[in-house]
């Protein structure tokens, strides 16, 4: 039996972990025993426990309860806690997702103890080193035994950095570092949960929304929330569109953004937001609600990596509130437009996308990425 430790901490990782845990439970339970470690990076019910409940993820076996603090302190506390767990019992490998501080901590703790690291969502690059996520993913990729790349672009990025199908970097047991294109575990989830969301979510009714006649907007990137100029520019554009297009804009607020809009918006914007009948601000949505909001939106506007992709999975156009994106194929297929945090570009991108015929080819795998990953981990460790 292979003993794996899955490390999660932030909302998107909990969601991604659901796909892998499901594959282990349904198809690999005689070969893999998985334990889950939650770093506690996200801790509000709406950012964490709601996903365990809705998506049937097993409760974490370990919770470090690290909470919010500065980048260094948060990562250091996680490394210390993960190391203790790895010292307390034997694990054959550690499974990590994406690019958060929880990912970085897991990669550092495991690799220093010579425990193989399996990185799901490897090879993504924004080529913007001012993002904490870019630092995290580059370090994690370099410390991983298998780099599970979701897309062709991710594999090409890795090749440019000198990784190949089997890179000549030796890891525990003298094995070479492997790059494998497996598809995207979030795409697995989108196929698995879409019909459940249709019946289990009442969000459209609750918020008084008509299918195809509202915009879904999410904002949480530090470079958007922590800059008064950028945050104000984004919200000014949302207000302008809500008014000029007479369209409802639903904004499930990340806790970081909730704090920022009360302290960091230019004068009178907060009041205008509260007074605008077409702006619907809600707490962070659960998974069934967010899927339904994404699937039925006219346009999605976001700086989230995951929401960009899910918009594509569900055939919705997306205005990307960032200067660049790791998911470049969304732009290449005309399904997304980079608008950064610039008022005119956001308004123009919305108008262009509304009038555009878009094709959404299946670029993110066959919907069985998690099973491919489990199979390759079993092969690697046997
Ligand atoms: C983190 C990830 C980011 C990811 C995002 C997903 C890093 C460096 N960033 O960003 O890549 O896209 O998660 O949502 O790992 N807070 C709460 N309750 C919570 C969690 C956070 O109130 O349950 C507030 C705290 O004020 C905290 C702030 O949000 O300081 C930011 O949280 P943090 O986990 O540090 O970063 P995110 O912005 O969430
Ligand atoms: N998400 C959610 N509720 C929300 C906003 C997002 O459940 O209110 C989900 C979304 O469907 C996706 C994931 O969270 O699966 C994306 O995470 P997030 O935007 O926090 O971070 P990122 O993907 O940018 O790292």
């Amino acid at each position: 039996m292979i003993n794996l430790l899955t490390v999660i901490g932030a909302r998107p990782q909990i969601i991604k972990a659901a796909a892998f845990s499901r594959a282990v439970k349904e198809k690999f339970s005689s070969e893999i025993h998985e334990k889950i470690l939650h770093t506690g990076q996200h801790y509000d019910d709406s950012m964490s426990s709601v996903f365990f409940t809705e998506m049937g993820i097993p409760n974490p076996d370990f919770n470090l309860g690290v909470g919010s603090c500065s980048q260094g302190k948060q990562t250091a506390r996680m490394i210390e806690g993960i190391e203790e767990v790895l010292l307390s019992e034997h694990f054959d490998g550690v499974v990590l997702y994406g690019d958060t501080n929880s990912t970085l901590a897991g990669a550092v703790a495991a690799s220093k103890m010579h425990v193989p690291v399996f990185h799901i969502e490897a090879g993504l690059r924004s080529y913007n080193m001012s993002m904490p996520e870019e630092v995290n993913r580059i370090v994690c990729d370099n410390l991983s035994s298998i780099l599970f790349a979701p897309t062709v672009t991710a594999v090409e990025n890795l090749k440019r950095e000198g990784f190949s199908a089997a890179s000549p970097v030796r890891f525990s047991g003298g094995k070479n570092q492997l790059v494998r294109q497996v598809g995207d575990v979030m795409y697995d989830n989108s196929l698995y949960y879409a019909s459940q969301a249709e019946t289990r979510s009442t969000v459209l009714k609750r918020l008084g929304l008509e299918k195809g006649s509202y915009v879904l907007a999410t904002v949480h990137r530090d470079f958007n929330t922590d800059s008064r100029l950028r945050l104000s520019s984004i919200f000014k554009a949302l207000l302008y569109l809500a008014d000029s297009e007479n369209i409802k804009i639903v904004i499930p607020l990340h806790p970081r953004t909730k704090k920022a809009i009360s302290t960091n918006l230019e004068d009178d914007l907060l009041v205008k937001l509260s007074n605008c009948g077409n702006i619907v601000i809600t707490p962070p949505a659960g998974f069934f609600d967010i899927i339904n909001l994404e699937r039925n939106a006219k346009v999605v506007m976001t700086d989230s990596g995951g929401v960009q992709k899910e918009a594509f999975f569900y055939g919705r156009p997306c205005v990307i509130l960032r200067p660049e994106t790791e998911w470049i194929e969304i732009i290449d297929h005309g399904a997304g437009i980079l608008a950064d945090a610039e008022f005119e570009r956001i308004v123009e991108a919305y108008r262009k996308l509304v009038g555009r015929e878009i094709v959404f080819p299946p670029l993110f795998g066959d919907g069985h990425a998690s099973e491919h990953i489990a199979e390759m981990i079993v092969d690697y460790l046997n």
Side-chain angles (χ1 to χ4, degrees):
M1 182 65 87
I2 290 168
N3 289 308
L4 291 182
L5 182 68
T6 291
V7 174
I8 55 179
R11 169 169 70 187
Q13 295 168 324
I14 302 169
I15 291 168
K16 288 165 199 169
F20 183 70
S21 293
R22 192 170 61 248
V24 169
K25 192 171 141 206
E26 289 176 2
K27 304 236 166 94
F28 292 86
S29 58
S30 59
E31 289 149 289
I32 297 177
H33 181 247
E34 183 195 28
K35 283 198 174 180
I36 295 180
L37 182 152
H38 192 325
T39 62
Q41 178 170 352
H42 286 174
Y43 44 86
D44 290 350
D45 285 350
S46 61
M47 296 296 287
S48 176
S49 59
V50 65
F51 303 105
F52 286 89
T53 313
E54 288 188 350
M55 303 176 85
I57 308 166
N59 278 333
D61 300 278
F62 311 95
N63 194 326
L64 304 181
V66 161
S68 304
C69 38
S70 65
Q71 295 280 322
K73 201 184 269 185
Q74 189 181 53
T75 312
R77 286 179 181 165
M78 291 175 188
I79 294 175
E80 199 178 340
I82 297 167
E83 186 181 65
E84 266 172 36
V85 169
L86 292 176
L87 283 168
S88 71
E89 55 187 284
H90 172 78
F91 288 99
D92 300 295
V94 168
V95 178
L96 302 173
Y97 298 89
D99 52 24
T100 73
N101 289 346
S102 300
T103 317
L104 173 65
V108 173
S111 62
K112 292 239 173 175
M113 294 185 65
H114 307 159
V115 179
V117 170
F118 303 117
H119 187 201
I120 299 180
E121 224 179 57
L124 276 299
R125 296 290 182 268
S126 64
Y127 299 103
N128 176 355
M129 284 299 276
S130 64
M131 292 178 71
E133 293 84 359
E134 185 77 353
V135 176
N136 295 344
R137 52 172 90 98
I138 288 175
V139 174
C140 185
D141 280 346
N142 278 278
L143 299 180
S144 295
S145 288
I146 314 185
L147 291 86
F148 291 112
T151 56
V152 176
T153 311
V155 173
E156 282 169 359
N157 292 342
L158 290 170
K159 279 189 192 155
R160 272 198 299 277
E161 289 175 25
F163 295 90
S164 61
S167 304
V169 177
R170 295 285 162 127
F171 276 90
S172 90
K175 291 188 179 174
N176 282 357
Q177 190 175 36
L178 304 178
V179 174
R180 294 287 180 264
Q181 190 191 331
V182 286
D184 197 311
V185 293
M186 288 184 71
Y187 183 54
D188 299 6
N189 272 342
S190 73
L191 297 179
Y192 187 83
Y193 289 103
S195 58
Q196 292 187 44
E198 188 77 28
T199 51
R200 292 176 64 176
S201 164
T202 57
V203 69
L204 300 189
K205 203 167 160 201
R206 278 195 335 264
L207 300 180
L209 301 168
E210 294 288 327
K211 289 185 178 183
S213 66
Y214 63 89
V215 170
L216 170 68
T218 80
V219 180
H220 75 273
R221 291 280 154 211
D222 59 354
F223 51 78
N224 283 332
T225 59
D226 300 359
S227 152
R228 186 175 172 81
L229 199 68
R230 293 179 65 90
L231 192 69
S232 301
S233 175
I234 290 172
F235 278 94
K236 266 184 213 160
L238 296 180
L239 266 169
Y240 177 80
L241 285 170
D243 257 356
S244 62
E245 304 287 325
N246 190 21
I247 188 154
K248 285 206 168 158
I249 303 193
V250 184
I251 316 173
L253 269 195
H254 189 287
R256 173 180 208 115
T257 320
K258 185 177 179 196
K259 285 180 189 145
I261 61 165
S262 63
T263 56
N264 221 5
L265 280 182
E266 282 169 15
D267 301 343
D268 79 355
L269 262 180
L270 190 54
V271 178
K272 282 188 183 155
L273 281 173
S274 324
N275 291 342
C276 174
N278 273 345
I279 297 276
V280 185
I281 292 186
T282 73
F287 198 58
F288 294 132
D289 282 354
I290 199 79
I291 290 180
N292 256 8
L293 286 169
E294 288 167 347
R295 285 179 90 194
N296 295 299
K298 184 177 178 116
V299 171
V300 173
M301 298 189 146
T302 190
D303 61 7
S304 157
V307 175
Q308 265 175 73
K309 272 190 294 178
E310 286 167 344
F312 188 91
F313 302 157
Y314 297 126
R316 311 319 305 153
C318 185
V319 177
I320 301 167
L321 304 169
R322 289 184 45 188
E324 74 281 305
T325 178
E326 301 80 21
W327 305 103
I328 195 73
E329 39 286 284
I330 296 177
I331 312 286
D332 291 346
H333 282 82
I337 295 181
L338 288 171
D340 205 355
E342 290 179 29
F343 179 92
E344 286 83 8
R345 284 174 67 189
I346 296 171
V347 172
E348 191 191 349
Y350 171 87
R351 291 185 174 150
K352 270 192 187 154
L353 286 171
V354 163
R356 194 179 267 183
E357 285 283 322
I358 305 171
V359 179
F360 296 86
L363 304 172
F364 292 89
D366 60 4
H368 297 281
S370 315
E371 290 152 46
H372 302 318
I373 289 168
E375 205 175 319
M376 288 175 194
I377 291 178
V378 170
D379 273 1
Y380 183 88
L381 291 173
N382 278 329

